[in-house]
Amino acid sequence: MRENGRHARGSESSHHPGDSYYNIPPIKRPHWTWEIFVYFWVGGIGAGAHAVTTIARLLGHGDAALLRAGRYITLGSMVLSPLLLISDLGRPERFYNMLRILKLRSPMSLGSWSLFLFGSLSGLIATAQAAQDGLLGGGNPAARLARAVPAQILSALAMPFALFVGSYGGILLAATAVPMWARNALLMGPTFLASSFSTGLSALSLALKLGRWGEKGTHAALRRAERLALVAELGLMAASLAKMGKYGKPLYGKPLAPLFFGGTVLGGILAPLALLSGRESRPRGILASVLVLLGGLAFRYVMVEGGKRSADDPQATFSHTRKEG
Amino acid sequence: MAKTGFLTDTTVCIGCKACEVACKQWNQLPADGYEMTGDSYDNTQTLSGSTWRHVAFIEKSGRKRLTGDVDLVALAEGVREELPEGAEIDGLGRWTFMSDVCKHCARAPCQQACPTGAIIRNEFDNVYIQPDVCNGCGYCVPACPYGVITSVPEDGRAFKCTLCYDRQKDGLEPACAKACPTDSIVFGEVEELERRAEERVRELHERGYTEAYVYGTEEVGGTGGIGGNHSKFILMDRPETYNLPAAPELPQEKVGPAVAASAVAAAVLSAAVALAFRR
């Protein structure tokens, strides 16, 4: 019953007696499998899509196609998210224990509650939308009840929980003993949130472009917002790398560097920025959205995987706890 | 109820691993396989979900060799008096053994991280995982700055030292402390153990071992908001030698500032979207 097989030896091969204990990692990496980074991505898309459509609506932007796309994308994300999280639990049948207590100092607890509330509200909102779209039939009581749901008010109420779902992945990782995550504690949440906005905007834009839905003004606004979100994301990532310093080594080194710099920075931010800044066309917009979405997935993967590698490096942990640069 | 804990004095540990065995037997923990690591006599390597006591073996080679007729009894008594031929006691090199265990932090990162409330402080102020509540989310694992608490994939949940909660309830000392033949592991009330540790360190200093110190205080080991550890250690070398962090932090101190920073980011990003959508 030894967990994780044998321990993973640290990556530092040169070590002197007294500097570490046979290069055995002094902290343990989390067991989290693929479900976790995929959840951070899927949940982020739903949070971003909800935030964007709600803000647009509050500003009086009346495009029904945008609202419809936003509500259904959010619903899809909020159906998938808990399934991914529950399947990653060591005891999935006890998932409801997440809601037996609220702990303000535990990002995992805050996140579970936010996901529960945001998910429930987005279910109600999407039901109202489905009733409006005639998907629930015409005169039956269920459809009438669904149409009575105050979707606008609920959307506004869901905003804080949506924004927390978009950012807490970063906060959750930051509040650990893992050097790469802990060193960048303040910027982790904002960077995850920026990526959540960019991927949410891209999902909306992609859906509207593929379905040839939405007004011209909506497409232009989404394009402007995508550019702004990508610039914010780029700035936060550069600041994060600076803040991590040598503790960001898993991101610069093999095997994650190609995916991080090629997939996230170049493919997921710089290339779509170029595509969105040049001549406007449907294929270019679609390509940009797909690139942003894939880049966001790569970002979640390298952040989770990079932290695991950071935890396996004894010198990183020791140097971090001695408060060295 | 009084707060209880361990004092593990590495200066009298003989590396017999009776604590590891007693812990496994009492707590019915499975074996970890039969692998040879080549890391001295340490084939256990680390604390884990199925190993709640772990004896570390550190071989410090000496710089000088003993020559001539040496009184080995005098040497073994460990007094740093002048030795024949100007030899130093450290010239022999030193075996350092250390029985590692959960630190039972005064403010425990794993307990604060736990979203289900499975990890509690019991009536002895020990950090205890309620196995019937834990749902195996694994968040306590990277939260522990000492690498103690560990997920067990075959079971799904996380496990660590319970400080023999069941034995304490019956007025017994934990199995490891009971089995330790040299009293390297002492169980007792935290305040009493603190006094005992200070006294022992003073005694070691008087005998010339000025490198001796207590690990698990708010100054060393139990730092950064952790508020000290209920399991303390007397160490003779830098904490890193024993695979311990020198000055860990309570990771949850970052939650408040991180949430505030994210709220600022949320406001800025929302404003950016509003700017893009304004008509």
Side-chain angles (χ1 to χ4, degrees), chain B residues 10 12 17 20 22 36 38 41 43 56 79 95 97 106 113 118 122 145-146 170 185 192 229 233 248 253 272:
Chain B
T10 64
V12 292
K17 304 198 201 188
E20 276 192 29
M36 296 300 163
Y41 286 84
N43 297 310
V79 184
W95 272 94
F97 312 112
N122 63 19
Y146 311 96
D170 286 341
I185 300 172
E192 171 55 29
N229 307 129
F233 299 82
E253 304 278 55

Side-chain angles (χ1 to χ4, degrees), chain B residues 177-253:
Chain B
K178 182 78 180 173
C180 180
T182 64
D183 260 358
S184 170
I185 300 172
V186 177
F187 165 79
E189 291 184 16
V190 172
E191 283 167 21
E192 171 55 29
L193 293 177
E194 279 167 359
R195 269 197 298 280
R196 192 175 170 137
E198 277 168 32
E199 200 177 302
R200 173 66 179 158
V201 166
R202 202 178 313 122
E203 184 189 314
L204 286 164
H205 285 187
E206 279 163 13
R207 290 170 67 177
Y209 294 99
T210 49
E211 64 270 44
Y213 66 99
V214 181
Y215 179 93
T217 62
E218 290 193 56
E219 288 74 43
V220 192
T223 52
I226 292 169
N229 307 129
H230 289 353
S231 299
K232 290 183 167 55
F233 299 82
I234 294 173
L235 302 181
M236 295 287 279
D237 211 326
R238 301 164 69 213
E240 287 83 356
T241 308
Y242 306 90
N243 224 10
L244 295 170
E249 279 182 357
L250 182 65
Q252 287 75 24
E253 304 278 55

Side-chain angles (χ1 to χ4, degrees), chain A residues 221-274:
Chain A
L222 283 172
R223 198 171 127 95
R224 282 195 297 273
E226 270 185 282
R227 282 204 300 260
L228 289 172
L230 286 172
V231 168
E233 195 179 345
L234 186 63
L236 282 164
M237 266 182 213
S240 292
L241 282 180
K243 193 82 187 59
M244 285 177 192
K246 68 173 179 183
Y247 300 97
K249 211 173 80 184
L251 298 181
Y252 323 131
K254 274 188 196 169
L256 297 179
L259 193 57
F260 178 60
F261 289 102
T264 299
V265 179
L266 186 64
I269 300 178
L270 293 173
L273 257 182

Side-chain angles (χ1 to χ4, degrees), chain B residues 134-184:
Chain B
C134 174
N135 68 6
C137 76
Y139 189 40
C140 51
V141 174
C144 176
Y146 311 96
V148 173
I149 198 164
T150 314
S151 303
V152 176
E154 292 83 350
D155 180 276
R157 293 171 293 181
F159 291 92
K160 69 165 192 72
C161 163
T162 65
L163 233 153
C164 282
Y165 189 15
D166 50 348
R167 290 176 62 95
Q168 283 195 63
K169 270 186 164 299
D170 286 341
L172 298 171
E173 67 178 320
C176 57
K178 182 78 180 173
C180 180
T182 64
D183 260 358
S184 170

